[in-house]
Amino acid sequence: MTTADRTVQDTGQLRRVLGLFATGITIVTSGRAEPRGMTVNSFTSVSLEPPLVLVCVKRKAAMHKAILDSGAFAVSVLSAPQERVARHFANHARPRGEREFDVVDWLPGRNTGMPIVSDTLAWLECRLTDVYAGGDHSIFLGSVVDSGHGAARGALLFFGGDFHSLIPRWSASGLAAAAWA
């Protein structure tokens, strides 16, 4: 039997395999009247011309409806010291609505009003362009209408089922070499 002939029957095994692909951690936000936030590592740059990104959201998640209703979302790329923020927005028992954001500083995006988490590595404000079916998720394609970045303090990554920090070590030439923390 070839690899192409195999079917995945164990979702736990698939989760472990996919968890071996190191990804950055983001907080995706949406909603004006009732803001929502969600920890997401399924975020991808799609195109520079025009500027497009995508996020994948489970159809049963409250975030799914928030993005569809508002027609916009923001992506805040977390820095190494922001593991607490990632865990907060991944916790299904957290408060909802505006109280959901009591533990972080944030500002409304100047183009869409979507919440942007403060002190992150980078952020993007997006208008919803298209929605594609992707199994139990929807793939939200967003047109980037604004973006920015903070100080390079290292990145928060997800690998092997846990959070890790990637801290830059600056060389004499000013180039960074990565180091796992």
Side-chain angles (χ1 to χ4, degrees), residues 14-22 158-161:
L14 180 59
R15 182 180 293 274
R16 286 186 294 279
V17 168
L18 295 174
L20 295 175
F21 179 67
F158 194 74
F159 174 76

Coordinates of all heavy atoms in Angstrom, one line a residue, residues 14-22 158-161:
L14 N -3.6 12.0 13.6 CA -3.5 13.1 12.6 C -3.1 14.4 13.4 O -2.3 15.2 12.9 CB -4.8 13.3 11.8 CG -4.7 14.4 10.8 CD1 -3.6 14.2 9.8 CD2 -6.1 14.5 10.1
R15 N -3.8 14.7 14.5 CA -3.5 15.9 15.3 C -2.0 15.9 15.7 O -1.3 16.9 15.6 CB -4.4 16.0 16.5 CG -4.2 17.2 17.3 CD -5.1 17.3 18.5 NE -6.5 17.4 18.2 CZ -7.0 18.6 18.0 NH1 -6.3 19.7 18.1 NH2 -8.3 18.7 17.6
R16 N -1.5 14.7 16.1 CA -0.1 14.6 16.6 C 0.9 14.9 15.4 O 1.9 15.6 15.5 CB 0.2 13.3 17.2 CG -0.4 13.2 18.6 CD 0.0 11.9 19.3 NE -0.5 10.7 18.7 CZ -1.7 10.2 18.9 NH1 -2.6 10.8 19.6 NH2 -2.1 9.1 18.2
V17 N 0.5 14.3 14.2 CA 1.4 14.5 13.0 C 1.4 16.0 12.6 O 2.4 16.6 12.4 CB 0.9 13.6 11.9 CG1 1.5 14.0 10.6 CG2 1.2 12.1 12.2
L18 N 0.2 16.6 12.5 CA 0.1 18.0 12.1 C 0.8 18.9 13.1 O 1.3 20.0 12.8 CB -1.4 18.4 11.9 CG -2.0 17.7 10.7 CD1 -3.5 18.0 10.7 CD2 -1.4 18.0 9.4
G19 N 0.8 18.5 14.4 CA 1.4 19.3 15.5 C 2.9 19.3 15.4 O 3.6 20.1 16.0
L20 N 3.5 18.5 14.5 CA 4.9 18.6 14.3 C 5.3 19.6 13.3 O 6.5 19.8 13.0 CB 5.4 17.2 13.8 CG 5.3 16.1 14.9 CD1 5.7 14.8 14.4 CD2 6.1 16.5 16.2
F21 N 4.4 20.3 12.7 CA 4.6 21.5 11.9 C 4.6 22.7 12.7 O 3.5 23.1 13.2 CB 3.6 21.6 10.7 CG 3.8 22.7 9.8 CD1 5.0 22.8 9.0 CD2 2.9 23.8 9.8 CE1 5.2 23.9 8.2 CE2 3.1 24.9 8.9 CZ 4.2 24.9 8.1
A22 N 5.7 23.3 13.0 CA 5.8 24.5 13.9 C 5.1 25.7 13.2 O 5.3 26.0 12.0 CB 7.2 24.9 14.1
F158 N 3.8 27.2 18.2 CA 3.2 26.0 18.6 C 3.8 24.9 17.9 O 3.9 24.9 16.7 CB 1.7 26.0 18.3 CG 0.9 25.0 19.0 CD1 0.6 25.1 20.4 CD2 0.4 23.9 18.4 CE1 -0.1 24.1 21.1 CE2 -0.3 22.9 19.1 CZ -0.5 23.0 20.4
F159 N 4.3 23.9 18.7 CA 5.0 22.7 18.1 C 4.9 21.6 19.1 O 5.1 21.7 20.3 CB 6.5 23.1 17.9 CG 7.3 21.9 17.5 CD1 7.2 21.4 16.2 CD2 8.1 21.2 18.4 CE1 8.0 20.3 15.8 CE2 8.8 20.1 18.0 CZ 8.8 19.6 16.7
G160 N 4.5 20.4 18.5 CA 4.5 19.2 19.4 C 3.4 19.3 20.5 O 3.6 18.7 21.5
G161 N 2.4 20.0 20.3 CA 1.3 20.1 21.3 C 1.5 21.1 22.4 O 0.8 21.1 23.4

